[in-house]
Amino acid sequence: MRGLRRELRGRRVWPGGLRARLLVAFVLVTVLGAAAVAWSSARSASSALAAGAEQQFVETVTNQITANAAGLTYPPGQSTLDQLASAVGADTTVTYQHLRSTTGPDTDLVTDAVRAAVQHGDSLFVQRIAAQGRPWLIVGTPVMITSTTGARTPSGIQVYAVRDLTGVQRQIDSLTRSEAITTGLALPLAVLLALVAAGSVLRPVRRLRDTARRLSAGDLDARAVPRGADELADLTVTLNEMAESVQTSMAAMRRMQDDARRFAADASHELRTPLSTLTAVMEVLAAASEEMDGDARESAQLAIAETHRLVQLAEDLMEVSRFDAGTARLRTEGVEIGGAVRDCLRTRAWTDRVVLSAPEEIWSRCDRRRLDVIVANLVGNALRHGAPPVRVSVSGTPEQVWIEVTDSGPGLPEHVLPHVFDRFYKADEARTRAPGSGLGLAIALENTLLHGGELTAGNASSGGARFVVRLPRGREDT
């Protein structure tokens, strides 16, 4: 799970934290919306200003031409052209065949293409251009003559008027700056609104987070108070329902576990007295079995073995129940580890079947009885399920003690390793009548953990099973 979180953090493209994401998203939406509105408004206003200036200039030119066209003489002379050019206004050129009248310096902006369009047409020609670093409006039109019949024909006179639109462009630029300033002023307002919106969203999220943390820490009574009727309120209700379901399930599970532990402890305790009696009877039977015939002796020996197995199972169950109830306690003393392991092997008559390597005296404070149980279970497991020779080595440092048990058997299969310390687990399901209860390795592990140590299982390089006990050394006592 941690690896997944690290991977997600490595792929993150948004700023860290939900608050930052909400702020960025809200500000972006607000600023982009304001910018889009401002740009659209500025564009519409600019188009309106330019169109209004164009329309006004065109109307002025056409009105002046219309007002003076009736008083012109045809064919016109130079004075007629000068009169018309003066009436239209500054920056105007009036042409007729080879005659030309100019009233301003900017009429050279009228290109041959503009003249060709006016000469070959009978309507108004309007064009906006940029020249000399400024915007210009060019209006060109032929002067029409109205006959007595009302027909309109070109008179051959062309009028070209030029207007500088710099003033209009300044207005447009000023309007654009105003819109940009307005958009900029929307930024702090957007941030303020984003903070308010983020706070209203994140407060219930933080409450849910705190409740989830309390639940993960084991406080199953933790609940969040739903507020409002939105999706977060629905999520809060769902979280509370989940917590209630988990609490109910955990309570039921604890009751079942307590009942199971109590049953195991009570059953083991109740069996102890009759089993002690039965053990005494089996000792008598064992002594008498030597005088029995073949079948009777074999039956007696089988009964004796099964009785010892039943006694061991009861003792193991009692030990497990003490671990589950938390009543198991250490009785520590100064122990020479190599000597304790040697005594364990000698007591069980394993010295001729196990090779012990303890090159030096290693003292540590531990519970001698529980250490004996650990070593006995590991070595007994190696003798039953491994192959000779079984080796036990003891080593240590100033801080730790290691006890390593290896055998020369086939080793532990990969599918067995995760379950080797499980209670009642047997790698070969067909070995239901095999010696042992299936609790030995689990008890060894519990005793190791009780010492604050570690017990690991694996395979040696030679192929056999390998169990390593690591115990904290504690205070040396020599």
Side-chain angles (χ1 to χ4, degrees):
M1 193 66 179
R2 293 176 182 172
L4 178 59
R5 282 196 289 265
R6 284 195 296 269
E7 181 180 355
L8 291 176
R9 282 197 294 268
R11 296 180 179 179
R12 182 182 293 161
V13 296
W14 281 83
L18 185 57
R19 176 184 291 274
R21 300 182 196 181
L22 288 173
L23 287 174
V24 171
F26 198 98
V27 169
L28 282 177
V29 169
T30 303
V31 172
L32 290 177
V37 172
W39 178 81
S40 177
S41 300
R43 185 185 179 100
S44 299
S46 300
S47 300
L49 284 173
E54 177 181 319
Q55 182 179 0
Q56 182 181 4
F57 183 58
V58 169
E59 289 178 353
T60 299
V61 171
T62 54
N63 288 339
Q64 291 295 334
I65 292 175
T66 302
N68 290 275
L72 298 179
T73 58
Y74 296 96
Q78 184 65 46
S79 60
T80 301
L81 298 183
D82 292 342
Q83 177 185 352
L84 182 57
S86 177
V88 172
D91 298 340
T92 301
T93 298
V94 180
T95 62
Y96 178 76
Q97 295 181 358
H98 62 280
L99 298 178
R100 175 187 178 93
S101 177
T102 302
T103 62
D106 296 317
T107 53
D108 56 350
L109 297 175
V110 180
T111 62
D112 294 338
V114 175
R115 293 190 181 92
V118 174
Q119 289 173 0
H120 294 89
D122 58 357
S123 61
L124 190 70
F125 177 86
V126 180
Q127 184 182 40
R128 274 184 278 184
I129 64 171
Q132 302 173 1
R134 290 181 291 177
W136 301 88
L137 178 63
I138 299 175
V139 177
T141 181
V143 178
M144 308 298 290
I145 299 175
T146 303
S147 64
T148 56
T149 60
R152 292 173 56 83
T153 58
S155 65
I157 302 175
Q158 290 92 36
V159 178
Y160 304 93
V162 178
R163 180 182 178 183
D164 185 359
L165 296 179
T166 301
V168 177
Q169 186 61 46
R170 289 198 191 99
Q171 291 180 309
I172 294 175
D173 293 341
S174 177
L175 180 62
T176 303
R177 283 193 299 271
S178 299
E179 296 294 345
I181 293 173
T182 302
T183 302
L185 293 176
L187 180 60
L189 179 60
V191 172
L192 179 61
L193 293 176
L195 287 172
V196 174
S200 64
V201 172
L202 292 180
R203 274 192 296 273
V205 172
R206 281 195 294 268
R207 287 195 294 268
L208 287 174
R209 177 202 61 192
D210 295 340
T211 303
R213 284 180 176 174
R214 290 173 58 191
L215 289 171
S216 65
D219 182 8
L220 298 182
D221 292 324
R223 298 292 185 273
V225 179
R227 300 179 181 178
D230 54 9
E231 289 79 2
L232 286 174
D234 293 340
L235 179 60
T236 303
V237 172
T238 303
L239 178 65
N240 290 339
E241 292 174 349
M242 180 191 69
E244 185 69 28
S245 177
V246 170
Q247 187 177 32
T248 302
S249 300
M250 290 299 294
M253 186 179 299
R254 289 194 186 100
R255 286 194 299 270
M256 293 172 62
Q257 290 175 344
D258 292 341
D259 292 342
R261 291 168 184 166
R262 190 179 304 108
F263 173 79
D266 293 345
S268 301
H269 187 272
E270 292 299 326
L271 286 173
R272 196 168 190 179
T273 299
L275 286 176
S276 299
T277 303
L278 189 58
T279 301
V281 172
M282 288 301 104
E283 292 176 354
V284 174
L285 182 61
S289 64
E290 299 298 331
E291 302 176 359
M292 298 179 181
D293 57 16
D295 291 340
R297 183 170 57 252
E298 183 178 352
S299 298
Q301 290 174 349
L302 179 60
I304 292 170
E306 290 299 320
T307 300
H308 286 311
R309 185 168 178 263
L310 182 59
V311 171
Q312 185 62 46
L313 176 60
E315 292 178 353
D316 288 346
L317 287 174
M318 290 187 66
E319 186 73 2
V320 168
S321 66
R322 282 191 288 268
F323 284 123
D324 290 343
T327 59
R329 296 291 183 268
L330 289 176
R331 292 180 175 87
T332 61
E333 58 181 313
V335 178
E336 200 281 301
I337 303 299
V341 174
R342 191 175 294 107
D343 292 343
C344 174
L345 300 178
R346 185 184 303 112
T347 301
R348 292 164 178 81
W350 289 342
T351 53
D352 58 339
R353 302 169 61 189
V354 177
V355 179
L356 173 61
S357 174
E360 59 179 342
E361 288 189 354
I362 300 175
W363 288 83
S364 177
R365 292 197 65 83
C366 62
D367 188 321
R368 189 182 187 95
R369 183 187 70 82
R370 295 187 183 279
L371 177 63
D372 181 82
V373 172
I374 295 172
V375 175
N377 281 328
L378 294 180
V379 174
N381 183 76
L383 292 172
R384 283 193 300 271
H385 305 301
V390 174
R391 295 181 174 86
V392 179
S393 63
V394 179
S395 59
T397 66
E399 294 80 22
Q400 295 179 338
V401 176
W402 282 280
I403 302 174
E404 181 178 327
V405 179
T406 59
D407 62 60
S408 301
L412 298 171
E414 290 295 328
H415 70 277
V416 172
L417 284 174
H419 308 286
V420 71
F421 296 113
D422 293 350
R423 296 175 181 178
F424 299 106
Y425 178 79
K426 293 183 179 181
D428 187 357
E429 296 296 338
R431 276 202 325 254
T432 55
R433 301 296 298 173
S437 62
L439 291 172
L441 292 180
I443 291 174
L445 176 63
E446 293 289 351
N447 278 305
T448 304
L449 296 176
L450 194 61
H451 280 85
E454 181 182 25
L455 175 57
T456 58
N459 291 313
S461 58
S462 59
R466 176 175 178 264
F467 290 85
V468 178
V469 180
R470 179 192 60 79
L471 299 176
R473 184 132 183 202
R475 182 177 63 84
E476 293 186 3
D477 189 354
T478 58

